[in-house]
Amino acid sequence: MIEVTDIHKTFFVPHKVKALVGVSTKVAAGEVVVVIGPSGSGKSTFLRCLNHLEAADSGHILIDGIDILDRKTNINKVRAEVGMVFQSFNLFPHKTVLENVTLAQKVVRKRGKSEAHDKAMGLLQKVGIQDKANAYPDNLSGGQQQRVAIARALAMDPKVMLFDEPTSALDPEMIGEVLDVMKALAREGMTMVVVTHEMGFAREVADRVIFMDEGAIVEVGTPEHFFQNPTHDRTKLFLSQIL
Amino acid sequence: MAKLEELRYRSAYFLWVGVFFIGVFALIALLYGATAKIDYVWHWFDVPKYIVNQERIEITAGMGGEVAAIEGEGKDAVVIVKDGDDSESYPMAEAEEIWVSKGDFITPGKILGVYHKWQPGILLQGMWLTLKVSMYAIVFGILIGMLGGIARISKNPALKWSAICYVELIRGSPLLVQIFIWYFVLATLFNRLLMVYGFSEIDALYYGVAALACFTGAYVTEIVRAGIQSIHRGQTEAARSLGMTGPQAMYYIILPQAMRRILPPLAGQFISLIKDSSLLGMIAIRELTKATREAITISLSPYEFWFVCAILYLILTFTLSMAVQYMERKMAIQ
Ligand SMILES: Nc1ncnc2c1ncn2[C@@H]1O[C@H](COP(=O)(O)OP(=O)(O)O)[C@@H](O)[C@H]1O
Ligand SMILES: [Mg+2]
């Protein structure tokens, strides 16, 4: 489903940072991959390269067989197939919860009003906030907002979902409700790439864990592997800090 | 104890309110005293007729002959004049009084009745023109500013640099000079061209509007740019990650949010615009300031008219700022 070959990304502003230095990996359809690593290790940049919010400098990224670094690719088409959930939710504050979930369906997928509405209500029910459909995002708790954001991404019927630290901005008591939605999604067979430090989540649903440091993949393995016998010193150090 | 404190606080408050009003009256008295010293005679009663006045309109007979009949009463009254086989009828609907009666012999041009009609005086006409010019300039200024603001943040250098040059050029020269350029250079040139190709000339008014619109457009461009840039990057990213195109994200997500932040500085800009439109008098457009000058030439009462002129501008700007405040509140409720 996702095939990444040797991508590099360097930022020059405000100063030169090599954010990614040769990252390669594959994610099969239905697989759940968790990405961990210290702050500044390039996890977000990696994720954002996958839907071209950042353009990788070199290498290849195939999404469902389509090379998104090819200039001829219509990136908007690919993005509609790749849902993304952000750390800071990024809901549209001037639209109601319902409108947040229906807007892109109408504009991008060209769905009719009632079809978009029914789809949205179904998803809001699934993430457990159908009764807030007409509220504005600012009147929702962080956990509720993030669940709306997940529903908004799912409304496009994506083939892949990317999560960039979806629970890091939440109060501890709200982390569970968001993780539950994500676990349910994983069990339904959604292909997911999740940047998170919630090792409980990784243990429960991840097929594979990737540890990144300084813009490169340092270690890959099953969750059990990481809990029982991580090989690299940097991995051990990092895990000792977060567990 | 606390009561006493409060009482002292309140009496101090009213004392200073009193000081404020005494100050205002002192200023007016000072001005009046100074004008009395130089024997200026105030003619406030002259002013109203320059705002609205009554015109006397006569209904006259087109032909001579005998008043054959006066049919109907009041609003429906019709005077019928007959001369042999010829006959004409004159509806007297608006006349306050009918000056002829049945059987009168009249000559052509005889006044059958008179009425008075209210009509705007020179100041009101000028105010209307100021309003009209400002409204046109605001509409076009918004259009230019929206496009300019989007061009200003575009990655395309042709668009971006055009927008930067436009803003810097306009902001770096006096409005009066720009108005002269529009009127004495561009208007002459363009009107000549129109004549060469057999079209009729365009009125100076529209060049004035263009000058104001271009001027305001530059400031609106900067306001729009700042408004768009104040919206968090995550909003665009969320929209784009859903597959929206850049223009779609701009239209559905960024601009509606930016509008709320743009509105207050925009209102300030448009209030300046109304005031700046007074410069159009320099190119023979009879807006409020020019109209005031003409009224003064006729009435020879400059002191009264300049104050009235200022108050009429105040009415325009104040109304606009109330309208914008109302819109802001409506948007905030949403
Ligand atoms: N848009 C950007 N401009 C400049 N530097 C950036 C940008 N995004 C990320 N970086 C830098 O790239 C590095 C990797 O960042 P990031 O991918 O956000 O790491 P992580 O998500 O693992 O914390 C950091 O040093 C960060 O400062
Ligand atoms: Mg990050």
Side-chain angles (χ1 to χ4, degrees):
Chain A
M1 182 61 71
I2 302 176
E3 209 174 319
V4 179
T5 324
D6 195 30
I7 55 169
H8 291 253
K9 178 72 187 176
T10 307
F11 291 107
F12 293 96
V13 185
H15 41 253
K16 191 172 167 181
V17 179
K18 289 187 173 176
L20 294 178
V21 286
V23 174
S24 304
T25 191
K26 276 187 192 175
V27 181
E31 203 178 5
V32 177
V33 174
V34 164
V35 181
I36 59 173
S39 170
S41 57
K43 306 180 298 293
S44 297
T45 306
F46 169 65
L47 215 57
R48 292 158 59 82
C49 280
L50 295 183
N51 69 351
H52 210 258
L53 282 181
E54 300 289 357
D57 300 331
S58 62
H60 294 281
I61 301 173
L62 298 185
I63 304 286
D64 208 15
I66 301 167
D67 185 353
I68 64 166
L69 292 177
D70 185 345
R71 291 178 145 272
K72 280 175 278 192
T73 304
N74 179 352
I75 191 62
N76 297 316
K77 274 219 168 98
V78 179
R79 279 181 181 148
E81 310 292 336
V82 181
M84 185 154 195
V85 175
F86 301 86
Q87 181 176 349
S88 50
F89 327 138
N90 294 346
L91 290 180
F92 307 135
H94 61 304
K95 303 234 172 253
T96 62
V97 164
L98 185 63
E99 289 165 345
N100 263 275
V101 186
T102 54
L103 180 67
Q105 293 192 64
K106 294 183 204 162
V107 173
V108 179
R109 287 279 192 232
K110 310 285 181 213
R111 286 180 191 150
K113 213 172 172 179
S114 64
E115 189 190 354
H117 177 271
D118 294 347
K119 174 98 193 168
M121 287 313 286
L123 285 167
L124 288 177
Q125 187 143 23
K126 187 169 163 184
V127 300
I129 29 186
Q130 67 277 21
D131 49 330
K132 296 278 186 188
N134 293 313
Y136 282 90
D138 286 348
N139 300 328
L140 266 52
S141 72
Q144 291 172 327
Q145 288 192 47
Q146 194 60 298
R147 285 184 281 149
V148 174
I150 294 173
R152 178 176 71 178
L154 289 176
M156 304 301 289
D157 295 317
K159 294 183 181 138
V160 184
M161 285 285 284
L162 309 176
F163 294 82
D164 190 1
E165 305 203 31
T167 57
S168 303
L170 297 178
D171 292 336
E173 72 269 21
M174 294 174 185
I175 292 176
E177 62 193 55
V178 172
L179 289 180
D180 286 344
V181 170
M182 291 168 61
K183 285 174 197 164
L185 204 57
R187 286 193 203 99
E188 284 170 23
M190 176 61 79
T191 312
M192 295 163 64
V193 182
V194 185
V195 175
T196 187
H197 293 155
E198 295 295 331
M199 295 312 285
F201 173 83
R203 192 197 323 240
E204 209 170 313
V205 294
D207 297 305
R208 196 149 46 100
V209 174
I210 292 176
F211 174 68
M212 284 183 72
D213 196 13
E214 294 181 350
I217 294 180
V218 175
E219 193 164 345
V220 183
T222 61
E224 290 70 35
H225 163 80
F226 274 87
F227 282 114
Q228 284 149 16
N229 50 352
T231 38
H232 289 264
D233 288 343
R234 279 191 283 173
T235 317
K236 284 178 194 157
L237 180 65
F238 175 72
L239 286 171
S240 71
Q241 282 163 352
I242 65 160
L243 288 176
Chain B
M1 196 57 206
K3 264 242 165 89
L4 198 68
E5 277 282 287
E6 198 192 309
L7 197 70
R8 269 172 61 186
Y9 173 78
R10 281 173 63 104
S11 47
Y13 179 82
F14 285 116
L15 179 74
W16 289 111
V17 170
V19 167
F20 168 75
F21 282 108
I22 290 169
V24 170
F25 283 121
L27 213 63
I28 293 172
L30 209 67
L31 182 67
Y32 184 77
T35 58
K37 202 89 188 159
I38 61 159
D39 298 326
Y40 186 85
V41 189
W42 293 83
H43 287 294
W44 284 109
F45 287 119
D46 272 359
V47 175
K49 71 170 180 250
Y50 290 89
I51 296 175
V52 283
N53 57 41
Q54 274 196 322
E55 196 192 12
R56 188 184 131 107
I57 297 173
E58 300 168 342
I59 302 171
T60 54
M63 61 176 234
E66 186 191 355
V67 177
I70 299 176
E71 293 174 354
E73 296 234 344
K75 286 262 164 227
D76 305 320
V78 177
V79 174
I80 296 170
V81 181
K82 268 204 172 117
D83 179 22
D85 290 340
D86 285 348
S87 129
E88 260 174 33
S89 54
Y90 301 93
M92 306 296 285
E94 286 162 301
E96 286 140 18
E97 203 182 333
I98 296 172
W99 287 17
V100 291
S101 41
K102 189 172 182 249
D104 287 0
F105 283 94
I106 57 171
T107 50
K110 162 83 179 165
I111 298 172
L112 303 175
V114 171
Y115 65 93
H116 291 84
K117 202 169 124 186
W118 288 101
Q119 61 174 26
I122 184 171
L123 289 187
L124 207 59
Q125 287 173 16
M127 191 172 164
W128 169 243
L129 197 60
T130 290
L131 189 67
K132 196 167 102 173
V133 170
S134 305
M135 285 304 142
Y136 284 155
I138 284 173
V139 169
F140 287 109
I142 289 177
L143 280 178
I144 296 173
M146 283 284 170
L147 297 177
I150 291 169
R152 180 68 183 71
I153 54 169
S154 156
K155 286 198 189 93
N156 180 330
L159 290 176
K160 183 175 175 171
W161 294 355
S162 304
I164 292 175
C165 285
Y166 164 62
V167 169
E168 293 307 324
L169 276 178
I170 296 284
R171 293 206 302 188
S173 64
L175 176 56
L176 186 57
V177 172
Q178 291 174 33
I179 290 173
F180 285 160
I181 289 177
W182 274 98
Y183 184 65
F184 292 114
V185 182
L186 300 177
T188 327
L189 187 68
F190 194 60
N191 277 344
R192 286 269 173 83
L193 281 177
L194 284 176
M195 263 163 62
V196 168
Y197 290 103
F199 296 100
S200 54
E201 292 191 358
I202 294 175
D203 192 66
L205 181 74
Y206 296 100
Y207 293 102
V209 168
L212 286 183
C214 277
F215 179 76
T216 307
Y219 288 87
V220 176
T221 294
E222 278 301 290
I223 293 170
V224 170
R225 178 194 62 79
I228 290 174
Q229 287 182 341
S230 76
I231 304 301
H232 193 265
R233 216 177 73 175
Q235 290 290 310
T236 314
E237 289 181 351
R240 297 304 302 270
S241 78
L242 290 165
M244 285 190 214
T245 63
Q248 284 171 343
M250 185 56 86
Y251 179 77
Y252 290 107
I253 306 303
I254 305 304
L255 282 183
Q257 295 183 58
M259 267 327 276
R260 283 185 212 181
R261 300 193 193 179
I262 287 173
L263 211 52
L266 213 53
Q269 188 55 45
F270 293 151
I271 286 169
S272 312
L273 175 76
I274 289 178
K275 295 183 287 180
D276 290 342
S277 73
S278 64
L279 290 172
L280 291 183
M282 302 295 284
I283 56 169
I285 294 172
R286 210 164 168 232
E287 45 63 60
L288 183 50
T289 305
K290 172 100 166 137
T292 306
R293 290 171 64 157
E294 287 180 15
I296 291 168
T297 332
I298 305 166
S299 68
L300 301 175
S301 311
Y303 294 9
E304 295 87 334
F305 278 94
W306 284 125
F307 284 122
V308 169
C309 177
I311 289 167
L312 292 179
Y313 273 113
L314 189 67
I315 290 173
L316 289 180
T317 54
F318 190 71
T319 312
L320 179 65
S321 88
M322 293 315 270
V324 171
Q325 272 182 31
Y326 173 77
M327 273 169 68
E328 256 174 74
R329 236 175 308 140
K330 272 200 95 166
M331 279 181 140
I333 290 165
Q334 231 185 31

